[in-house]
């Protein structure tokens, strides 16, 4: 029977079959930051839950981290090849061209379609939905979906409010064609955006808006900026709404969930999200204490962490949700598959 002829719960679906992660070796603790900024370990820990973050070395762009994570995901899946590469990032190697073709070539996948997805901290869920959609349409059989960020290159080193929050890293999954009834089948994606909130999380300079103004960019406009309090409020409500919709699509209730993997922005955001959804704290995956907010890499890094600690066991019911610049948000569900840890 051809996949499209299968009915009901056994319809064609994209199934997670590999998982990989990579963090640059250099670790910067809160105390390290407090030595050069007017901040403290106590402030950072109590306001964000973050204790440390990994930082890429000079000469280590987003493609490097992405290729490391992608290679591990391919190894976890037991494959050397995929039909397509989708990379979610806010920090591409260059404004032009996209970074995904560079990653594909580093992985020995020259010739395969490869492109970037830009949705800031929601990027991985947008890329996952894109890859899954290409599989369910029948266009491809396998996709490597990567989230990779080197935020340290866009942070103002003198800005204590953003420097303490973000970290560098990359995570990736391999998707293959399968069926909706299988463990690992990616559920319906609930994605959204609101461009009226574009100023909440932004790098103002470097794009056509600033260049077309004819005025030179102000130094501060080359760096990342964020309205933290407003982002906090939108993040909680949008992730809660998206998660509720994704759960409804899967026919699950919040009480059915074994783990909620929210975008690792701030532990207080994750706790508030749990309270909104009536999900107890022990079912929230918290990884940000060790790595900070890694934007588009945050969800796959949290998946790899939770798999390594045994929090994600085969058969666990999982919801993924994120909020990020744009503004963008999204959520999806899956039942955790048995995966080889690399
Ligand atoms: N160390 C010490 N003090 C700091 C500081 C730091 N690293 N960063 C900011 N402050 C100061 C501020 O200057 C402010 O001082 P003031 O009252 O004298 O002006 C004070 O702390 C409180 O700042 P505020 O912004 O009100 O703190 P907050 O409780 O909202 O926490 C964030 C700030 C950024 C941690 C919080 O808003 C947040 O996490 N938002 C979500 C951001 C996020 O993760 N986004 C990612 C994309 S979803």
């Amino acid at each position: 029977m051809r996949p499209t002829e299968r009915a009901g719960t056994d319809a064609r679906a994209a199934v997670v079959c590999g998982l990989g992660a990579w963090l640059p070796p250099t670790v910067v603790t809160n105390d390290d930051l407090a030595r050069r900024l007017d901040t403290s370990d106590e402030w950072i820990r109590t306001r964000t839950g973050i204790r440390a973050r990994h930082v890429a070395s000079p000469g280590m762009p987003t493609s490097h981290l992405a290729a490391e994570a992608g290679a591990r995901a391919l190894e976890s899946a037991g494959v050397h090849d995929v039909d397509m590469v989708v990379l979610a990032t806010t920090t591409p190697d260059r404004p032009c061209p996209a970074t995904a073709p560079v990653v594909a070539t580093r992985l020995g996948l020259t010739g395969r379609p490869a492109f970037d997805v830009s949705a800031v901290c929601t990027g991985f869920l947008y890329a996952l939905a894109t890859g899954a959609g290409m599989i369910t349409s029948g266009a491809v059989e396998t996709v490597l979906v990567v989230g990779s960020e080197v935020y340290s290159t866009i942070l103002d080193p003198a800005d204590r409010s953003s420097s303490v929050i973000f970290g560098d890293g990359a995570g990736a999954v391999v998707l293959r064609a399968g069926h909706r009834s299988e463990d690992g089948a990616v559920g319906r994606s609930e994605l959204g955006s609101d461009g009226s909130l574009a100023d909440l999380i932004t790098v103002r300079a470097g794009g056509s808006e600033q260049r077309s103004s004819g005025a030179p960019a102000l130094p501060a406009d080359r760096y990342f900026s964020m309205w933290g309090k407003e982002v906090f409020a939108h993040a909680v409500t949008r992730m809660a709404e998206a998660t509720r919709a994704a759960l409804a699509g899967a026919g699950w209730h919040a009480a059915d969930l074994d783990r909620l993997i929210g975008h690792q922005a701030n532990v207080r955001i994750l706790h508030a999200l749990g309270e909104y959804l009536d999900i107890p704290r022990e079912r929230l995956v918290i990884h940000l204490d060790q790595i900070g907010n890694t934007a588009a890499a945050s969800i796959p890094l949290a998946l790899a962490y939770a798999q390594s600690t045994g929090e994600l066991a085969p058969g666990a019911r999982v919801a993924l949700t994120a909020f990020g610049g744009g503004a963008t948000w999204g959520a999806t569900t899956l039942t955790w598959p048995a995966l080889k840890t690399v």
Side-chain angles (χ1 to χ4, degrees), residues 11-245:
R12 184 174 164 100
V15 175
V16 174
C17 64
L19 173 66
W22 196 77
L23 292 162
T26 304
V27 175
V28 175
T29 65
N30 292 346
D31 284 333
D32 292 335
L33 288 175
R35 277 190 274 280
R36 65 172 177 83
L37 288 168
D38 182 15
T39 188
S40 67
D41 172 57
E42 202 265 337
W43 192 97
I44 302 168
R45 262 190 303 105
T46 53
R47 298 294 179 114
T48 70
I50 298 166
R51 293 170 183 273
R53 69 288 295 143
H54 290 243
V55 177
S57 306
M60 200 182 265
T62 289
S63 60
H64 179 100
L65 281 64
E68 292 285 350
R72 285 163 175 77
L74 294 172
E75 191 186 338
S76 164
V79 298
H80 297 289
D81 195 9
V82 287
D83 295 339
M84 192 171 89
V85 176
V86 188
L87 171 69
T89 188
T90 322
T91 52
D93 286 7
R94 304 177 188 176
C96 170
T99 304
V102 177
V103 176
T105 289
R106 282 186 67 138
L107 292 171
L109 302 172
T110 300
R112 299 301 189 201
F115 58 94
D116 292 0
V117 166
S118 177
V120 196
C121 299
T122 320
F124 184 78
L125 291 186
Y126 269 65
L128 186 70
T130 305
M134 290 293 281
I135 286 177
T136 52
S137 73
V140 296
E141 295 296 310
T142 53
V143 181
L144 175 67
V145 182
V146 189
S148 181
E149 300 281 16
V150 183
Y151 253 66
S152 54
T153 57
I154 58 169
L155 297 176
D156 179 350
D159 176 9
R160 65 178 179 175
S161 65
S162 62
S163 285
V164 303
I165 290 176
F166 292 92
D168 301 337
V173 298
V174 177
L175 300 175
R176 64 161 172 83
H179 299 288
R180 206 179 288 169
S181 59
E182 288 183 68
D183 284 355
V186 179
R188 200 171 72 193
S189 288
E190 299 291 340
L191 304 175
S193 75
D194 180 353
S196 73
L197 302 177
D199 287 345
L200 285 190
I201 294 173
T202 190
V203 178
R204 286 189 177 278
S208 60
E209 181 186 74
Q210 173 258 313
R211 290 197 303 271
S212 67
S213 74
L218 298 171
D221 288 347
R222 296 185 188 281
Y223 288 120
F224 177 91
S225 71
M226 176 172 68
W227 292 93
K229 267 198 193 322
E230 289 78 358
V231 169
F232 196 115
H234 286 292
V236 175
T237 52
R238 289 303 191 181
M239 286 198 285
E241 286 165 8
T243 305
R244 277 198 197 103

